[in-house]
């Protein structure tokens, strides 16, 4: 059986936006007509779109989620985008933010639909006549409400399992079947993180690892400081580990720092970017990182919500912003995009 250690209980223990599409739709009514141009009118009331993030932190991922949403709002002349998120991550806090957005009675709300805990609020928004667009996470295919199921099928967001499998397959170039691997999960109670974890495990088992080779360790949460202590303690207790797998900067960055502190050369794969990760890829502390391109997630999601409101579209294009694997070959180029605020 896979070994599960709960660190809570023991401490040893390329981008071309869709501006062309939107511009075409905005101009469509002005083309192909022999009628003289209408006289200028007062500016139409702006379409009000609220975007609800999952946590208000200084981390690059959520900074870019916010930046992508606002960039789309600036690009669309008759859209007004408001971004809100809770200071502390929890399902009740996120749902409270969605309720705040719905109470403002905007034209559309973007929801990081992580759990059926959000279903009642989203159904209320739909009943109120507010358009809803899912992004980033979009569970809900088992909902009793067909509108929730439809939103889950037409979301803007990364296929987390597919991205995990791509990352895992690339990581097998640095480790071999039978090597001892540790998987650090900073949100073990999250369906998103469990999906990612299971996808990694599936690839490793299919590639020849046994369950006894894989150690799954639950970390305290999203705070990098206690995660650093937990990971450093683990690596000291298990010096023979051959590989480290994480999928967030809340665990990956502390793992890179812990490796550096103890002088470890164990191969590390992770998700997302910050300056520590970029430096780690350059000096070999981090072998691979995967960026989910969060800027694009909300950029495209705002455009999709706008098209629903403006033109009454039911199903805008389903968009997966794709994965960018960052390694020693492309890290310098990626660093330029990171510094410009487009990947993270």
């Amino acid at each position: 059986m896979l070994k599960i250690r709960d660190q809570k209980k023991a401490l040893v223990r390329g981008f071309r936006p869709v501006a062309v599409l939107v511009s075409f739709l905005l101009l469509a009514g002005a083309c192909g007509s022999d009628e003289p141009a209408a006289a200028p009118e007062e500016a139409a009331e702006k379409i009000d779109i609220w975007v609800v993030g999952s946590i208000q932190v200084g981390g690059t991922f959520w900074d870019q989620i916010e930046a992508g949403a606002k960039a789309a709002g600036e690009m669309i002349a008759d859209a007004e985008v408001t971004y809100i998120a809770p200071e502390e991550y929890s399902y009740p806090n996120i749902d409270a933010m969605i309720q705040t957005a719905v109470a403002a009675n905007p034209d559309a709300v973007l929801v990081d639909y992580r759990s059926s805990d959000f279903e009642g609020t989203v159904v209320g928004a739909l009943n109120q006549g507010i358009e809803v667009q899912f992004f980033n996470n979009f569970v809900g295919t088992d909902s009793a409400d067909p509108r929730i199921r439809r939103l889950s099928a037409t979301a803007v967001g990364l296929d987390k399992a597919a991205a995990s499998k791509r990352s895992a397959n690339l990581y097998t170039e640095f480790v071999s079947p039978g090597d001892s691997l540790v998987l650090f999960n900073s949100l073990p109670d999250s369906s998103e993180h469990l999906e990612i974890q299971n996808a990694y495990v599936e690839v490793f088992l299919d590639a020849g690892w046994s369950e006894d080779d894989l150690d799954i360790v639950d970390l305290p949460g999203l705070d990098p400081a206690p995660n650093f202590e937990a990971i450093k303690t683990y690596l000291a207790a298990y010096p023979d580990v051959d590989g480290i797998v994480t999928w967030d900067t809340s665990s990956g960055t502390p793992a890179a720092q812990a490796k550096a502190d103890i002088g470890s050369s164990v191969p590390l794969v992770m998700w997302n970017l910050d300056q520590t990760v970029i430096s780690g890829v350059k000096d070999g502390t981090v072998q691979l990182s995967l960026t989910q391109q969060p800027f694009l997630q909300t950029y495209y999601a705002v455009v999709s919500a706008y098209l629903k409101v403006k033109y009454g579209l039911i199903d805008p294009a389903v968009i997966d912003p794709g994965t960018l694997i960052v390694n020693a070959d492309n890290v310098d180029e990626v660093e330029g995009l990171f510094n410009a605020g487009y990947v993270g």
Side-chain angles (χ1 to χ4, degrees):
M1 295 294 292
L2 293 174
K3 303 186 288 295
I4 309 288
R5 290 194 175 86
D6 188 347
Q7 291 283 3
K8 297 175 184 175
K9 298 178 181 175
L11 277 180
V12 179
R13 48 156 182 127
F15 140 43
R16 175 138 183 193
V18 291
V20 174
L21 170 61
V22 174
S23 298
F24 172 79
L25 289 170
L26 290 174
L27 293 172
C31 298
S33 172
D34 294 329
E35 296 295 326
E41 298 179 357
E42 291 185 10
E45 184 177 347
K46 289 195 172 185
I47 291 173
D48 190 15
I49 301 173
W50 283 54
V51 181
V52 182
S54 288
I55 186 170
Q56 187 73 51
V57 294
T60 301
F61 181 91
W62 289 103
D63 287 347
Q64 291 185 10
I65 285 285
E66 180 176 2
K70 290 181 175 178
E74 291 170 2
M75 184 271 294
I76 306 172
D78 60 338
E80 182 74 34
V81 171
T82 301
Y83 181 88
I84 60 173
E87 292 185 3
E88 183 177 344
Y89 174 93
S90 74
Y91 286 175
N93 287 348
I94 298 168
D95 191 52
M97 288 289 104
I98 303 171
Q99 292 176 32
T100 297
V102 172
N105 197 31
D107 297 296
V109 175
L110 269 62
V111 176
D112 181 14
Y113 195 96
R114 294 171 170 262
S115 165
S116 59
D117 292 10
F118 307 150
E119 183 171 10
T121 306
V122 171
V123 167
L126 294 169
N127 290 343
Q128 195 171 312
I130 298 172
E131 295 289 354
V132 178
Q133 177 67 43
F134 289 168
F135 75 97
N136 192 37
N137 291 281
F138 38 92
V139 296
T141 53
D142 58 349
S143 172
D145 193 311
R147 297 171 299 177
I148 299 292
R149 296 198 299 272
R150 187 169 198 139
L151 287 167
S152 296
T154 58
V156 174
L158 189 68
D159 183 332
K160 304 295 173 74
S164 305
K165 290 177 180 179
R166 181 183 179 208
S167 170
N169 281 313
L170 291 171
Y171 183 60
T172 60
E173 298 176 11
F174 300 92
V175 288
S176 301
D179 284 349
S180 174
L181 305 182
V182 57
L183 290 74
F184 290 111
N185 189 339
S186 53
L187 281 178
D189 297 329
S190 160
S191 58
E192 172 195 10
H193 284 244
L194 184 60
E195 178 184 19
I196 293 170
Q197 172 185 298
N198 290 342
Y200 274 105
V201 168
E202 180 182 339
V203 169
F204 294 139
L205 294 180
D206 288 347
W209 274 265
S210 72
E211 291 184 344
D212 289 339
D213 299 326
L214 308 178
D215 195 1
I216 298 172
V217 176
D218 294 344
L219 294 175
L222 293 176
D223 188 340
N227 288 348
F228 167 78
E229 295 298 335
I231 293 170
K232 188 174 179 180
T233 299
Y234 179 94
L235 295 178
Y238 299 95
D240 295 332
V241 68
D242 299 306
I244 302 171
V245 180
T246 73
W247 43 92
D248 195 280
T249 46
S250 65
S251 52
T253 298
Q257 293 168 333
K259 277 185 55 180
D261 268 20
I262 66 176
S264 171
S265 60
V266 174
L268 167 63
V269 61
M270 60 174 293
W271 286 35
N272 304 332
L273 296 174
D274 57 24
Q275 194 56 60
T276 297
V277 177
I278 290 173
S279 298
V281 174
K282 287 183 175 182
D283 66 21
T285 305
V286 179
Q287 277 57 53
L288 299 170
S289 190
L290 178 155
T291 170
Q292 305 175 63
Q293 308 202 89
F295 183 97
L296 291 181
Q297 288 200 28
T298 42
Y299 188 101
Y300 288 136
V302 166
V303 172
S304 293
Y306 172 86
L307 294 175
K308 289 180 179 181
V309 176
K310 183 77 173 182
Y311 301 104
L313 300 185
I314 299 172
D315 288 341
V318 178
I319 301 172
D320 185 332
T323 61
L324 176 63
I325 300 292
V326 183
N327 58 26
D329 294 332
N330 64 6
V331 66
D332 290 332
E333 182 181 7
V334 169
E335 185 175 24
L337 293 171
F338 172 82
N339 290 334
Y342 298 134
V343 297

